[in-house]
Amino acid sequence: MNWHIKEKIDKKINGKELYQVIEQIFLQRGIKTAEDVDKFLSPDYEKDLHDPFLFNDMEKVVQRVYEAVSIGERVGIFGDHDADGVSSATVLAEGLEALGLDVEVYIPDKITEGHGINATAIDLFKKEKVSLLFSVDCGTSNVNEVAYAVSCGMDVIITDHHHAPEVLPNAYAIINPQVIGEKYPFKELSGTAVAFKVVQALHSIFLPEEMDKLKWMLDVVCVGTVADCMPLVGENRVFVKYGLIVLSKTRRKGYQELIKTGNLAITEQKVPSVHMVAFQIAPRINAAGRMTHAKHAYALMREQKYENARKLSQDIEQQNIQRRQLVDKITHEAEKIVEEEQRDRSFIVIASEEYPVGIVGIVAGRIAEKYQKPTGVFSKIGDEGRGSFRSVDGVHIVDVLTACSMHLNKYGGHEKAAGATIDNKKLDDFAQAADAYVKELSIDLSAEPVLWADGEIELSEVNHELLYFLQKCEPFGEGNEEPVFCIRDVIVDSVRMVGNGDEHIKLRVSSRDEQYAVDGIGFGLGKKCSEIVVGDVITVYAHIQENEWMGNVSVQLNIIDIV
């Protein structure tokens, strides 16, 4: 691995007595003042969230909802098929129903309908006499579809967080921090968080006495934010910090049963980590949309009976198991194609009739990570291909798609992840155009990716005091990564392989003066065991974490690499 250590910043944070290495991490992450430190370490739900009325169109939204409540209009919500879309629909539906509105929710089929508002749903809303239509986690690119909804007599309010094109739909209002000219100060909200801001605004006007109850929605906001890989800074840090606590004591029967069925270690006493949400909860919510239909995940979120929630969660658990098996199989097939046909490509494009559209995004992510190249994986359905893209540092995937848009039917997404549809006969032309565009960026995609350690410390510094400060910096995740430390010249006191199939390495290391010793675990590093013997002097790159065993709490190295 190509490790580098971040350069020290020769500054101090005035007014704060901080552990030196923690101070350096703060400075590296743009936390430069005592006020910044306080806000980061102690995010405050009451003080650190922006006023939802800072959105340009929020007053219009509230006025239009007031009219809907006054005359008893039926309201439609068009959602999306991923965890953020399902969570967005859940939050907005509950917020509107609290006002007494009759709400009809439509979750599209990922396989047959794809992303974004569609005419089929609009026709259904028209049949159900919907006159006010919300979109959540989508809609900003749906110019034609919004025009069709308007022609059907609907006012359309878009709530979204995706890239905003130059030409926007003729909607009644658009709540999207990415829209050019939008004054809302925080741009990195998830779709669920945007929906929550709308609910906040509505409750502040119509149900001010129930504003505190909105905190019970933060478990859903947290899952949507983490699932969509939004940076855990600013408002997102508040949503996730509090949301994890709410999730540990969730009142939502769907989450309760999902936690039980998955045997997840979440209780009021054991607050989940971002990692658990990202790799245990979000994949289960997404599994429904990938394998059958996301409406089942939405039903789980809204279910009020334990018996029904248990059945839904059990079905979703099985779908998640099937999803994992299918992803492993198709990833292996895709890797073989890359090795045989596309090793020289700067932009990998793979397409097949055998790839279910529900899992192409996961496969694209794995291929992009392994080969460190932007990747698109398409599912061919009839004459059309539906693709998901994942990118790497230095390549903004939406910029690539925009440059190659003449070959695409439609596209949208973020810097690192996007989706598109294409006529299959244009796949080769698109692949060549995307490859040429990335090559012109003059980025060395063949180089081993640089891994950064946040600082270099002595083994003697690995103690409960440092652990305490690190725990105060949680939650860790996208945009606030868990710090990695380089610890040089430690002596191996013991070493052995552990885990099923001896996948992991367990060791104990001490300082050269033998005054300090710490245990370490290296997940997935079992093969390193044959290279290390007691007495070796090694350098480790590791997270510093708490280890609890048989009631005893200690500081442990979670080792990423050994050199």
Side-chain angles (χ1 to χ4, degrees):
M1 293 186 180
N2 184 16
W3 284 101
H4 290 232
I5 298 174
K6 293 179 182 177
E7 187 175 344
K8 284 188 176 181
I9 298 175
D10 189 20
K11 288 183 180 179
K12 299 285 289 180
I13 299 177
N14 295 327
K16 285 291 176 183
E17 291 294 328
L18 295 169
Y19 211 80
Q20 186 176 8
V21 70
I22 295 293
E23 184 175 49
Q24 278 298 307
I25 290 170
F26 284 164
L27 291 169
Q28 290 163 356
R29 299 185 182 190
I31 301 168
K32 301 177 180 179
T33 68
E35 183 182 358
D36 292 340
V37 171
D38 290 340
K39 187 172 289 190
F40 182 82
L41 293 179
S42 304
D44 190 319
Y45 178 83
E46 304 297 338
K47 298 178 181 178
D48 294 338
L49 296 182
H50 299 298
D51 183 345
F53 286 96
L54 292 175
F55 274 104
N56 294 354
D57 282 357
M58 192 64 82
E59 288 188 7
K60 290 178 66 178
V61 172
V62 171
Q63 179 59 39
R64 184 62 185 84
V65 170
Y66 173 77
E67 294 173 10
V69 171
S70 299
I71 62 176
E73 289 182 80
R74 291 208 76 191
V75 178
I77 297 175
F78 185 96
D80 196 19
H81 44 64
D82 66 1
D84 191 25
V86 168
S87 299
S88 303
T90 299
V91 165
L92 187 59
E94 292 181 357
L96 294 175
E97 287 170 0
L99 305 181
L101 286 164
D102 182 12
V103 179
E104 178 82 18
V105 175
Y106 186 97
I107 305 293
D109 187 310
K110 181 180 179 71
I111 297 170
T112 61
E113 297 176 89
H115 175 80
I117 305 171
N118 62 64
T120 300
I122 294 169
D123 289 339
L124 179 62
F125 284 130
K126 182 179 179 181
K127 183 178 178 182
E128 295 294 327
K129 301 189 184 309
V130 166
S131 52
L132 175 59
L133 175 60
F134 282 86
S135 72
V136 291
D137 195 33
C138 65
T140 307
S141 299
N142 294 129
V143 174
N144 294 333
E145 292 80 3
V146 170
Y148 179 55
V150 172
S151 74
C152 292
M154 301 176 202
D155 286 336
V156 180
I157 295 173
I158 294 170
T159 76
D160 194 6
H161 72 129
H162 290 94
H163 167 76
E166 290 185 10
V167 178
L168 296 173
N170 184 28
Y172 185 89
I174 299 178
I175 305 297
N176 182 345
Q178 300 296 332
V179 168
I180 296 172
E182 174 58 65
K183 296 184 179 65
Y184 194 80
F186 187 65
K187 305 298 182 183
E188 303 298 332
L189 295 173
S190 64
T192 311
V194 172
F196 184 74
K197 300 306 290 190
V198 172
V199 173
Q200 276 189 311
L202 294 172
H203 271 59
S204 71
I205 300 301
F206 303 121
L207 295 170
E209 70 282 2
E210 296 189 9
M211 285 292 288
D212 277 350
K213 293 182 180 179
L214 295 184
K215 290 179 183 177
W216 287 103
M217 286 185 175
L218 292 180
D219 51 359
V220 185
V221 179
C222 169
V223 171
T225 299
V226 172
D228 232 40
C229 300
M230 305 310 295
L232 301 189
V233 297
E235 284 189 292
N236 289 342
R237 182 166 171 79
V238 180
F239 288 139
V240 173
K241 181 95 171 181
Y242 283 82
L244 292 172
I245 296 170
V246 175
L247 187 58
S248 74
K249 57 183 77 173
T250 183
R251 296 176 175 177
R252 200 169 293 276
K253 295 177 177 63
Y255 277 156
Q256 291 175 11
E257 292 301 323
L258 194 73
I259 290 166
K260 289 179 184 177
T261 303
N263 293 316
L264 306 182
I266 300 175
T267 66
E268 283 197 45
Q269 292 72 39
K270 192 170 181 61
V271 176
S273 65
V274 169
H275 186 274
M276 181 173 283
V277 173
F279 292 97
Q280 298 291 334
I281 294 177
R284 286 173 164 84
I285 301 296
N286 277 324
R290 297 184 191 281
M291 303 303 294
T292 55
H293 199 298
K295 65 184 180 182
H296 303 306
Y298 175 76
L300 178 68
M301 293 298 94
R302 301 299 311 278
E303 183 55 56
Q304 296 299 309
K305 294 183 178 179
Y306 280 112
E307 182 180 356
N308 295 341
R310 188 173 305 118
K311 177 63 168 62
L312 285 165
S313 68
Q314 290 169 347
D315 290 345
I316 286 174
E317 184 70 19
Q318 288 304 308
Q319 292 162 18
N320 191 47
I321 292 170
Q322 295 166 10
R323 187 269 308 168
R324 288 201 303 263
Q325 295 169 342
L326 190 58
V327 167
D328 289 344
K329 174 179 178 291
I330 292 177
T331 299
H332 178 72
E333 295 173 1
E335 288 173 349
K336 186 177 179 181
I337 292 171
V338 175
E339 293 291 343
E340 294 177 354
E341 303 174 13
Q342 299 194 35
R343 285 307 299 263
D344 295 332
R345 289 278 185 91
S346 294
F347 193 106
I348 296 170
V349 177
I350 304 170
S352 172
E353 295 88 351
E354 303 299 320
Y355 297 169
V357 69
I359 55 88
V360 292
I362 303 174
V363 176
R366 291 191 179 183
I367 297 298
E369 181 178 7
K370 178 171 182 176
Y371 295 99
Q372 283 301 297
K373 295 178 180 180
T375 299
V377 179
F378 284 86
S379 173
K380 291 182 176 180
I381 304 172
D383 295 330
E384 186 176 65
R386 291 184 179 170
S388 285
F389 299 85
R390 299 295 183 269
S391 197
V392 296
D393 289 344
V395 182
H396 194 306
I397 197 67
V398 174
D399 289 347
V400 180
L401 299 184
T402 300
C404 305
S405 59
M406 71 290 295
H407 304 295
L408 302 171
N409 294 337
K410 61 179 182 178
Y411 67 94
H414 309 292
E415 180 178 354
K416 292 290 182 67
T421 60
I422 190 172
D423 293 334
N424 289 332
K425 62 185 179 182
K426 295 182 179 181
L427 270 167
D428 288 342
D429 290 339
F430 167 75
Q432 291 176 18
D435 185 58
Y437 179 90
V438 175
K439 279 185 167 65
E440 288 180 4
L441 296 177
S442 300
I443 297 171
D444 186 4
L445 297 172
S446 64
E448 187 177 9
V450 172
L451 299 176
W452 290 96
D454 293 271
E456 187 172 340
I457 61 175
E458 298 294 329
L459 192 66
S460 60
E461 296 179 80
V462 181
N463 53 37
H464 285 281
E465 183 181 3
L466 178 57
L467 177 64
Y468 168 78
F469 275 108
L470 290 171
Q471 290 174 331
K472 289 281 285 181
C473 295
E474 294 176 353
F476 296 124
E478 190 76 23
N480 183 43
E481 289 76 11
E482 185 173 5
V484 178
F485 298 98
C486 171
I487 309 170
R488 298 189 190 277
D489 300 333
V490 293
I491 300 170
V492 178
D493 292 339
S494 65
V495 58
R496 59 190 173 94
M497 289 187 289
V498 295
N500 293 331
D502 293 333
E503 294 178 88
H504 318 306
I505 188 171
K506 177 78 174 174
L507 46 72
R508 186 171 179 83
V509 295
S510 62
S511 57
R512 281 184 176 273
D513 61 10
E514 300 183 353
Q515 295 296 306
Y516 303 94
V518 180
D519 289 324
I521 180 80
F523 294 105
L525 298 180
K527 292 180 180 179
K528 290 274 188 181
C529 205
S530 61
E531 306 170 11
I532 300 170
V533 297
V534 172
D536 277 354
V537 178
I538 62 174
T539 294
V540 298
Y541 292 86
H543 302 302
I544 297 171
Q545 297 177 345
E546 181 179 274
N547 181 46
E548 185 175 351
W549 177 252
M550 301 293 288
N552 296 316
V553 177
S554 61
V555 182
Q556 176 178 265
L557 300 176
N558 185 340
I559 300 171
I560 302 167
D561 195 16
I562 302 171
V563 295

